[in-house]
């Protein structure tokens, strides 16, 4: 069994940034890139132009950004494995990480497996036809795109993040509909008030988007609305899922402390988890910001924490 | 007086990332880039090749990275002013930010003025001759450069960070000397033990580097060592300052809570300062990680916090 200094699980901005830092510090570093479960390269692989990752004056394609990070890591001697990390044993030290083909012993483990935006199973979206062609799961990432400006867009959800995304989208769209299955929003009172008092926002209660239609990009949604549950076709430039995220922590099998929603709990302001020598970075521990550049920053923090831990212990 | 949504003070990775995010969210955003005090573009402007900013497979020149960020911000309609922010009034709202020429009222202020590494006034370094040609103030950033591999390098300082930097440099250098003016290190016991027991590290007590010599790059240092204070010339490939950092917070005139060392105190895991609506990002609030990518991540966090604060208040 190979003993390495750092095993990084996950290959989004957090994972690769962590690996770039540890490997450049001469720590033997392996990245489990993922293969079947999750997406190698993380959520940016499913985006198009990324305008807000700093350093690229004209923006950068999400896939190019991630392929660059992978190349950068490999150039700095990171060993990138096209394998899923199937299971970990964090009760022994060195820790054990089992891939589909390879097993490693690791002095430190950095978990950067990200989170997946939940999507409802709606024809035209779940099959991917209009994904990133009007359908999105991140208003902050995609809301400023020209296709939404001055148009009608639909946000699916009823919690705080649905209302936040709707308010955000009013900056660009002509009208924002919040489509919610129930007769009451789950969001906090202040957010509900804000939504209901915003002239650009209309909440469709007891409603559902049942399909998304388009011609290359989204043009319409079909809704079932209100008490009658009558089907209705409406013009739409965008459909934004805001029904939550699922952090990818199942493979941990309960070995790390998670919060109610399954996110890894880290000591605030750092990346220490409930087990010394195990660090978490990126969206798997971040339910607040969920941006690539924040994930990358926390990947660097995890790397420096892991390095210090190997040298000094007792930093967590 | 102009009223804007966001005034960003500082133009390093934190400042520009914050501005990119807020402006892309349709918030009217101004950046005080700095002019006389500090360096427009931040500490990266004084580096050469940056290998560890994720997304650039072959690395990127520090100045290019920062010019890209500036262009990116301007393309997204950020107003970048080549002015210092001379003073702020955070006791009124909208806040007031006075530049050398322009005055703004601001709904939110993001402070990203960074920190400056302290340098001793040593011939060959303070006059800049060998800066980034063997002389550095960041081992993590520069230690892996080929010019230090297998060579003798000198760390100036005696605290925890001097010892940490020395240990880090043993990964690359043949021998690392810690040059300390006093007869005892200020570092914590465990770090002192670690330094003294590392065969690649030698601590030179009661010692001083009095000049740095070279031919294009550093080749020697002249030391005054020990009780005799005899001058001595030694081979050296590198000189690393580790005598602390000075966060750039003087212009705040005590209006925000600072820690003992003058760093802005933020609520852990976020960017809220002691005044609602004022946020801090980057090295001006980070004494632990001090890396460009971490600063950029926190700039994004400050932008999202500022946005939420404008919409909802009470998030801090």
């Amino acid at each position: 069994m190979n003993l390495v200094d750092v095993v990084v699980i996950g290959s989004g901005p957090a994972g690769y940034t962590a690996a770039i830092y540890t490997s450049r510090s001469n720590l033997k570093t392996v990245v489990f890139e993922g293969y079947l479960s999750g997406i190698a390269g993380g959520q940016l692989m499913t985006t198009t132009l990324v305008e807000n990752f700093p350093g690229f004056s004209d923006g950068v394609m999400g896939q190019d950004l991630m392929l660059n990070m992978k190349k950068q890591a490999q150039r700095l001697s990171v060993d990138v494995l096209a394998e899923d990390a199937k299971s970990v044993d964090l009760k022994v030290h060195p820790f054990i990480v089992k891939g589909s083909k390879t097993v490693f012993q690791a002095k430190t483990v950095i978990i950067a497996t990200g989170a997946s935006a939940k999507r409802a199973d709606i024809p035209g979206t779940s099959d991917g036809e209009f994904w990133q062609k009007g359908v999105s799961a991140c208003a902050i990432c995609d809301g400023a795109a020209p296709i939404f400006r001055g148009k009608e867009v639909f946000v699916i959800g009823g919690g705080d993040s649905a209302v936040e995304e709707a308010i955000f989208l009013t900056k660009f769209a002509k009208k924002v509909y919040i489509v919610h299955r129930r007769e009451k929003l789950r969001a906090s009172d202040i957010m509900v008030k804000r939504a209901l008092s915003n002239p650009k926002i209309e909440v469709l209660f007891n409603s559902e988007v049942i399909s998304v239609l388009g011609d290359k990009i989204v043009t319409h949604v079909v809704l079932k609305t209100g008490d009658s549950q009558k089907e209705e076709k409406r013009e739409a430039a965008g459909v934004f899922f805001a029904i939550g995220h699922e952090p990818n922590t199942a493979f941990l099998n309960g070995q790390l402390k998670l919060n109610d929603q399954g996110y890894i709990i880290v000591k605030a302001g750092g990346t220490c988890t409930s087990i010394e020598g195990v660090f978490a970075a990126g969206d798997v521990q971040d339910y607040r910001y969920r941006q690539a550049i924040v994930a990358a920053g926390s990947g660097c923090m995890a790397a420096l924490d892991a390095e210090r831990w190997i040298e000094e212990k007792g930093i967590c």
Side-chain angles (χ1 to χ4, degrees), chain A residues 303-315:
Chain A
L304 299 184
D305 285 344
E307 254 179 86
R308 278 182 201 162
W309 190 81
I310 288 173
E311 291 295 345
E312 304 169 34
K313 302 290 184 298
I315 62 154

Side-chain angles (χ1 to χ4, degrees), chain A residues 7 26 35 84 102 109 117 134 141 162 182 188 194 214 310 316:
Chain A
V7 168
N26 268 1
Y35 185 64
D84 289 323
T102 327
V109 173
C141 315
R182 312 235 160 87
S188 57
R194 202 169 294 275
I310 288 173
C316 282

Side-chain angles (χ1 to χ4, degrees), chain A residues 68-147:
Chain A
N68 283 352
M69 286 194 199
K70 180 175 176 176
K71 270 193 222 161
Q72 189 175 359
Q74 288 175 319
R75 201 176 64 82
L76 293 167
S77 309
V78 174
D79 195 4
V80 180
L81 301 178
E83 281 184 50
D84 289 323
K86 291 290 194 192
S87 68
V88 290
D89 187 348
L90 306 176
K91 289 181 213 85
V92 295
H93 196 268
F95 308 117
I96 295 171
V97 182
K98 285 191 183 159
S100 15
K101 291 176 274 179
T102 327
V103 182
F104 285 95
Q105 283 190 307
K107 290 187 197 165
T108 61
V109 173
I110 295 174
I111 297 169
T113 43
S116 312
K118 290 182 197 161
R119 310 186 200 174
D121 188 24
I122 299 171
T125 66
S126 48
D127 53 11
E129 190 180 349
F130 297 116
W131 181 251
Q132 287 291 318
K133 291 170 183 158
V135 177
S136 162
C138 179
I140 289 173
C141 315
D142 302 322
I147 56 170

